[in-house]
Amino acid sequence: MLDDRSSALPLHAQVTVWLQDLIETGGLPVGARIQSEVTLAERLGISRPTMRRAMQHLVDRGLVVRKPGAGTEVVMPSVRRPIELTSLYDDLAEAGRNPSTDVLSFAVIPASDSVALALHIPPRTEMTCIDRLRHADGQPLALMHNLVPAHIARFTRAELQRNGLYELLRAAAAVPKAADEVIGARSATAAEAETLGIKRGAPVLTMTRTAWNGDGRGIEYGSHVYRADRYAFQNSVRAEDSHSAAAPRHLTQSSHSRS
């Protein structure tokens, strides 16, 4: 029975957290089919409404999908990114999520008044303008628009295809040391939806970042759009969980025919 009476979380939330941890640590791998809510409720010693509520939270977070006639299946877990001065490429690589990049555009343009003001640089400064589509495990995750002063952007389009922007900036001795970030949410435009593989109007997360080096010089302005069903910003402190995250065998069911 799963019921920690010392926890401040209600029982359905305890079940959600437990299952989510199993999914995100690989105990319940992508593609695994989870047994029915009735069966799970009986095995865990909880009511069916409690189990249904916990499962709905997993559906809402994009961790599982309900397939008519096939049950509930684990899908690609969302990327949970700590709010730190790191690049998405670095975070994905560290998490073992196999980042890859499509460079959509790469050009030199003059800085707009708003970008010049944000970076504290002269107006019309030459900027390398970059638009990229970032993938995680082969799935589209984020659209990234970045502007870097041209004299700092000592890299090629091909290098951006293979490496993260911050890695290339560090190689050019332009190390981001401080940044201002604004995080928001809105509906995807038709063009964004098509590129990210989501429905028009689907929710997306946004982040605008202005970064400076140790001397206070502006080195990057970024405007990013992320799939809300596969991405989240994380800002929390949690004690290390000493319990094993191995998935009990009874949580998954095998399938002899997979399409």
Side-chain angles (χ1 to χ4, degrees), residues 208-228:
T208 300
R209 172 186 282 183
T210 308
W212 298 271
N213 67 5
D215 297 329
R217 290 181 294 170
I219 59 175
E220 181 229 358
Y221 178 86
S223 179
H224 301 172
V225 177
Y226 307 87
R227 288 184 56 155

Side-chain angles (χ1 to χ4, degrees), residues 3-8:
D3 186 1
D4 183 359
R5 299 187 184 277
S6 66
S7 173

Side-chain angles (χ1 to χ4, degrees), residues 9 15 19 106 115 124 172 182 197 244:
L9 293 176
V15 177
L19 288 171
F106 186 83
V115 170
R124 311 289 295 176
V182 178
S244 172

Side-chain angles (χ1 to χ4, degrees), residues 107-129:
V108 176
I109 63 171
S112 65
D113 290 343
S114 60
V115 170
L117 181 63
L119 291 175
H120 308 303
I121 59 177
R124 311 289 295 176
T125 296
E126 285 194 340
M127 308 289 291
T128 298
C129 179

Side-chain angles (χ1 to χ4, degrees), residues 13-183:
Q14 292 181 44
V15 177
T16 300
V17 170
W18 180 56
L19 288 171
Q20 180 170 329
D21 186 59
L22 288 173
I23 291 171
E24 293 183 342
T25 57
L28 287 172
V30 174
R33 292 185 182 177
I34 301 176
Q35 287 189 333
S36 71
E37 293 173 3
V38 174
T39 302
L40 275 178
E42 291 176 351
R43 290 183 179 276
L44 295 176
I46 61 178
S47 69
R48 185 177 179 183
T50 297
M51 190 69 241
R52 183 187 305 116
R53 192 172 180 184
M55 197 64 71
Q56 185 60 49
H57 283 313
L58 296 178
V59 172
D60 293 341
R61 296 176 187 181
L63 296 173
V64 302
V65 293
R66 291 189 174 103
K67 296 186 175 181
T72 303
E73 184 173 312
V74 178
V75 294
M76 189 67 64
S78 62
V79 175
R80 302 177 68 185
R81 182 181 182 185
I83 303 177
E84 298 175 352
L85 190 49
T86 58
S87 73
L88 177 58
Y89 189 98
D90 292 341
D91 292 337
L92 291 173
E94 185 176 347
R97 295 298 299 275
N98 301 316
S100 60
T101 307
D102 292 334
V103 179
L104 306 178
S105 66
F106 186 83
V108 176
I109 63 171
S112 65
D113 290 343
S114 60
V115 170
L117 181 63
L119 291 175
H120 308 303
I121 59 177
R124 311 289 295 176
T125 296
E126 285 194 340
M127 308 289 291
T128 298
C129 179
I130 308 157
D131 288 288
R132 294 166 294 162
L133 173 62
R134 177 62 43 77
H135 301 263
D137 296 325
Q139 299 295 321
L141 178 67
L143 278 169
M144 299 179 293
H145 173 74
N146 293 87
L147 292 159
V148 178
H151 71 278
I152 293 176
R154 304 168 188 169
F155 44 77
T156 66
R157 181 173 186 147
E159 287 175 321
L160 270 175
Q161 194 87 19
R162 300 188 302 268
N163 305 280
L165 176 60
Y166 275 24
E167 179 183 354
L168 295 172
L169 287 177
R170 289 192 293 266
V175 182
K177 291 293 186 180
D180 285 340
E181 292 183 348
V182 178
I183 297 170

